[in-house]
């Protein structure tokens, strides 16, 4: 899979791409991630990418030309274009799974007041990572990229995401490590039983209990 990210702030991705599981997936060529500066595609003599909002109003608006040219230059016959915006559909784990099936994704990150409305005509999916407004689409694009990459074949052990929160519409069960007693708090007895069927049942019951307490909306579905 190849992911091309269009941004005005390429440096924001340095840490994201150079640490931990994403770094390893890049080294092993399990994914290709390229960061593109939108400014490089501007035809303006001063490399401008934004302008005033026609009709008035606060804030600058991203112009269509650099974005259209960047997408034209990067897309192939099988490209899926995503735009990060608080007005997008709420991002969910199921979408991360669906996106792993794409061979090439372009993610457009906005900044300032917003995108010129005509940019929407070249976008397949608008995504929001939550009902709050960030300064730009960079952090959301990292959230989406991270959630996809960890699901790609061989990036992490299959088992690690088989029981992820949300996979079966339930939150994760509690997990413990040593010591068995920490400041008076004991690891539940059942986990020492070695009886896998009983342990799995206990874990499932805990998942349901936790989901009922914290996210009853998930159970309604
Ligand atoms: N850009 C700014 N805020 C955002 C959000 N919540 N989701 C996606 N993109 C954004």
């Amino acid at each position: 899979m190849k992911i091309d990210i269009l941004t005005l702030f390429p440096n924001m991705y340095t840490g994201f791409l150079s640490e931990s599981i994403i770094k390893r997936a890049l080294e092993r060529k399990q994914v290709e991630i390229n960061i593109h500066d939108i400014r490089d595609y501007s035809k303006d003599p001063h490399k401008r990418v934004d302008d005033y909002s026609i009709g008035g109003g606060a804030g600058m608006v991203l112009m269509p030309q650099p974005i259209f040219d960047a997408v034209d230059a990067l897309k192939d016959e099988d490209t899926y274009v995503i735009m990060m915006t608080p007005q997008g559909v709420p991002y969910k784990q199921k979408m991360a799974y669906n996106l792993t099936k794409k061979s090439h994704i372009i993610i457009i990150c906005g900044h300032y007041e917003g995108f010129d409305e005509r940019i929407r005509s070249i976008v397949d999916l608008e995504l929001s990572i939550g009902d709050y407004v960030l300064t730009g689409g960079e952090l959301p694009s990292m959230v989406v990229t991270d959630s996809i990459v960890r699901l790609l074949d061989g990036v992490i052990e299959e088992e690690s995401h088989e029981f992820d929160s949300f996979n079966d519409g339930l939150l994760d069960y509690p997990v413990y490590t040593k010591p068995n007693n920490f400041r008076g708090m004991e690891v539940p007895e059942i986990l020492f039983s070695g009886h896998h069927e009983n342990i799995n049942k206990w874990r499932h019951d805990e998942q349901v209990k936790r989901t009922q307490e914290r996210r009853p909306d998930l159970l309604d579905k």
Side-chain angles (χ1 to χ4, degrees):
M1 161 176 294
K2 181 162 84 170
I3 302 176
D4 285 303
I5 300 176
L6 301 183
T7 172
L8 291 167
F9 299 96
N11 292 338
M12 285 181 74
Y13 295 85
T14 311
F16 173 60
L17 298 177
S18 61
E19 297 286 347
S20 185
I21 291 169
I22 302 294
K23 176 190 179 188
R24 200 182 60 195
L26 289 167
E27 284 168 354
R28 291 181 180 170
K29 307 214 180 318
Q30 287 159 323
V31 65
E32 179 185 333
I33 302 173
N34 306 304
I35 311 299
H36 305 272
D37 191 336
I38 296 171
R39 224 170 276 284
D40 291 343
Y41 292 89
S42 171
K43 291 201 171 116
D44 179 85
H46 305 289
K47 294 273 170 209
R48 282 190 69 165
V49 291
D50 58 331
D51 216 322
Y52 298 103
S53 178
I54 298 175
M60 304 297 275
V61 176
L62 271 177
M63 301 189 295
Q65 177 274 315
I67 308 272
F68 270 65
D69 283 2
V71 171
D72 279 346
L74 297 170
K75 77 171 178 213
D76 54 39
E77 50 306 327
D78 207 19
T79 299
Y80 195 70
V81 182
I82 296 173
M83 180 161 102
M84 303 311 310
T85 153
Q87 299 162 52
V89 285
Y91 189 55
K92 296 275 153 62
Q93 182 68 14
K94 195 164 187 279
M95 295 183 192
Y97 273 102
N98 290 337
L99 291 173
T100 61
K101 294 174 193 130
K102 308 283 180 200
S103 59
H104 181 211
I105 296 173
I106 295 178
I107 306 181
I108 308 171
C109 307
H111 237 87
Y112 315 126
E113 191 53 27
F115 299 92
D116 183 290
E117 190 63 21
R118 291 163 290 190
I119 294 170
R120 295 203 147 83
S121 68
I122 52 165
V123 167
D124 297 303
L125 179 66
E126 288 182 44
L127 285 181
S128 163
I129 62 157
D131 289 343
Y132 40 81
V133 181
L134 300 165
T135 54
E138 283 73 20
L139 290 171
S141 76
M142 291 184 223
V143 167
V144 170
T145 301
D146 186 285
S147 67
I148 296 170
V149 171
R150 68 185 286 283
L151 296 176
L152 296 176
D153 278 348
V155 170
I156 55 173
E157 280 174 63
E158 185 87 16
E159 265 205 342
S160 305
H161 52 74
E162 206 176 312
F163 298 107
D164 276 348
S165 284
F166 309 115
N167 243 6
D168 46 7
L170 294 173
L171 300 182
D172 238 345
Y173 51 77
V175 292
Y176 298 85
T177 185
K178 288 174 192 142
N180 302 352
N181 181 320
F182 181 71
R183 298 193 178 186
M185 294 177 280
E186 301 269 6
V187 174
E189 200 59 46
I190 176 114
L191 297 176
F192 298 106
S193 69
H195 194 301
H196 291 297
E197 209 174 301
N198 286 353
I199 291 175
N200 286 342
K201 184 176 177 318
W202 179 83
R203 285 180 166 164
H204 184 260
D205 290 348
E206 289 295 313
Q207 281 189 284
V208 174
K209 198 162 89 190
R210 191 166 267 201
T211 311
Q212 254 157 3
E213 280 164 12
R214 301 182 187 189
R215 292 292 304 276
D217 56 300
L218 294 176
L219 294 174
D220 295 343
K221 291 177 197 139

